[in-house]
Amino acid sequence: MQTRTIVGLAVVSCALIGCKPDAPAATAAESSAETPAAPQQVVIHARDFAFDAPDTITSGVTTIKLMNEGPDLHHVQLVRLEEGHTFEELMAAMANPGPPPAWAVDVGGPNTPVPGGESSATIDLQPGNHVMICFIPAPDGQMHVMKGMSRPITVIPAAASAAMPVAQVEMTLSDYTFTTNVPLTAGVQVVNVTNAAAQAHEVLVVKLEPGKTVEDVVRFIEKPEGPPPGAPIGGTTAIRTGGTNQITLDLAAGGDYAFICFIPDAKDGKPHVMHGMSKQFKIS
């Protein structure tokens, strides 16, 4: 019914303004073939210590789903390599102490789910060389990337891209706070996460155990003893200044949650949570 109505309106428009015989109006089906209706889906399987992922994907709005199949925590930090730089150059640069090179741009990606769980992030990917990295430290203190958990991936140009899905919540990252334009509520909601700060930030979403706090989570990460005070349920990895990722949160009524950023500060190297970048909240 809706398709017939659209075609009918097109015919009426031709009668009013005149149409050339060799340029018939496009049908709804033809239009949808040119512009995808939904973001493309890319699934990444993580295990200790490797990513199983495609070598190439197309540009445009893309939902990256992380399936954590290892016994440890994992995330996907997507980095775009500008100026023609390569995976090998980035790995060589990371072997030296100091800040990352300016040509390695933090794009974001799905943050940490629990082992056996999944998380996702939707990003408008630009063409070029990219690298997937896991920066989470192992129990021995060595980051997973140093154990081989990195992988190059090439984003090739696409003719068309879907629009970013409509979000119910806008979250802004600054130095050093998380703010939302409306309160988060129980149930499923789509959240646009935009980094308006002067440096990269992440959003790790943690569901807290009853009576536990952000401080308990930080202490547990520093010295994991006893039962965990909370469980990670996703979010976004580091996003460059001006960048945006989109996440979907499914929050339980009465649940206690927290947003935390563990990215090292550009000035002193301390995790941003040490500068106060955390937010604890309850869902009514």
Side-chain angles (χ1 to χ4, degrees):
M1 177 70 78
Q2 186 176 13
T3 300
R4 290 199 297 270
T5 301
I6 292 172
V7 174
L9 288 173
V11 173
V12 172
S13 298
C14 280
L16 291 175
I17 64 175
C19 295
K20 295 180 180 180
D22 59 349
T27 66
E30 290 169 339
S31 297
S32 63
E34 294 173 359
T35 304
Q40 65 174 330
Q41 304 280 326
V42 174
V43 178
I44 298 173
H45 300 268
R47 60 183 186 276
D48 297 354
F49 297 97
F51 292 116
D52 180 8
D55 295 324
T56 61
I57 57 177
T58 54
S59 64
V61 177
T62 304
T63 297
I64 300 174
K65 179 183 288 188
L66 170 64
M67 312 288 289
N68 186 0
E69 298 172 356
D72 206 346
L73 298 176
H74 296 296
H75 65 201
V76 173
Q77 176 65 62
L78 198 62
V79 178
R80 187 174 69 250
L81 307 181
E82 298 186 333
E83 304 169 10
H85 289 279
T86 65
F87 169 77
E88 290 77 15
E89 288 177 297
L90 179 62
M91 292 299 103
M94 289 180 59
N96 299 315
W103 44 263
V105 179
D106 292 322
V107 175
N111 216 328
T112 311
V114 295
E118 62 182 63
S119 64
S120 64
T122 299
I123 311 169
D124 189 0
L125 295 176
Q126 304 303 306
N129 295 331
H130 291 68
V131 179
M132 291 180 291
I133 301 173
C134 182
F135 284 113
I136 293 176
D140 62 6
Q142 194 174 32
M143 289 189 297
H144 292 172
V145 62
M146 299 306 176
K147 295 178 179 290
M149 200 163 185
S150 61
R151 180 187 174 100
I153 185 168
T154 303
V155 179
I156 59 177
S161 170
M164 191 72 80
V166 175
Q168 290 79 48
V169 181
E170 297 289 337
M171 180 187 294
T172 302
L173 312 181
S174 60
D175 297 329
Y176 300 92
T177 59
F178 304 94
T179 58
T180 58
N181 63 332
V182 295
L184 293 163
T185 58
V188 177
Q189 54 230 283
V190 178
V191 182
N192 276 342
V193 181
T194 300
N195 183 11
Q199 57 183 306
H201 290 295
E202 69 170 346
V203 183
L204 176 63
V205 186
V206 178
K207 188 178 190 305
L208 299 171
E209 292 295 324
K212 297 300 182 179
T213 66
V214 170
E215 291 74 20
D216 293 323
V217 173
V218 174
R219 282 193 292 268
F220 182 84
I221 290 174
E222 293 174 345
K223 192 175 183 180
E225 294 180 345
I233 58 171
T236 77
T237 50
I239 307 172
R240 71 194 183 282
T241 300
T244 297
N245 279 208
Q246 189 177 88
I247 59 176
T248 300
L249 298 179
D250 187 0
L251 305 177
D256 292 306
Y257 294 86
F259 298 139
I260 307 175
C261 180
F262 287 104
I263 301 299
D265 191 72
K267 300 184 185 73
D268 58 18
K270 295 179 181 179
H272 289 159
V273 66
M274 299 304 181
H275 289 270
M277 195 165 182
S278 64
K279 181 176 182 178
Q280 186 170 332
F281 58 96
K282 179 181 283 288
I283 298 298
S284 58

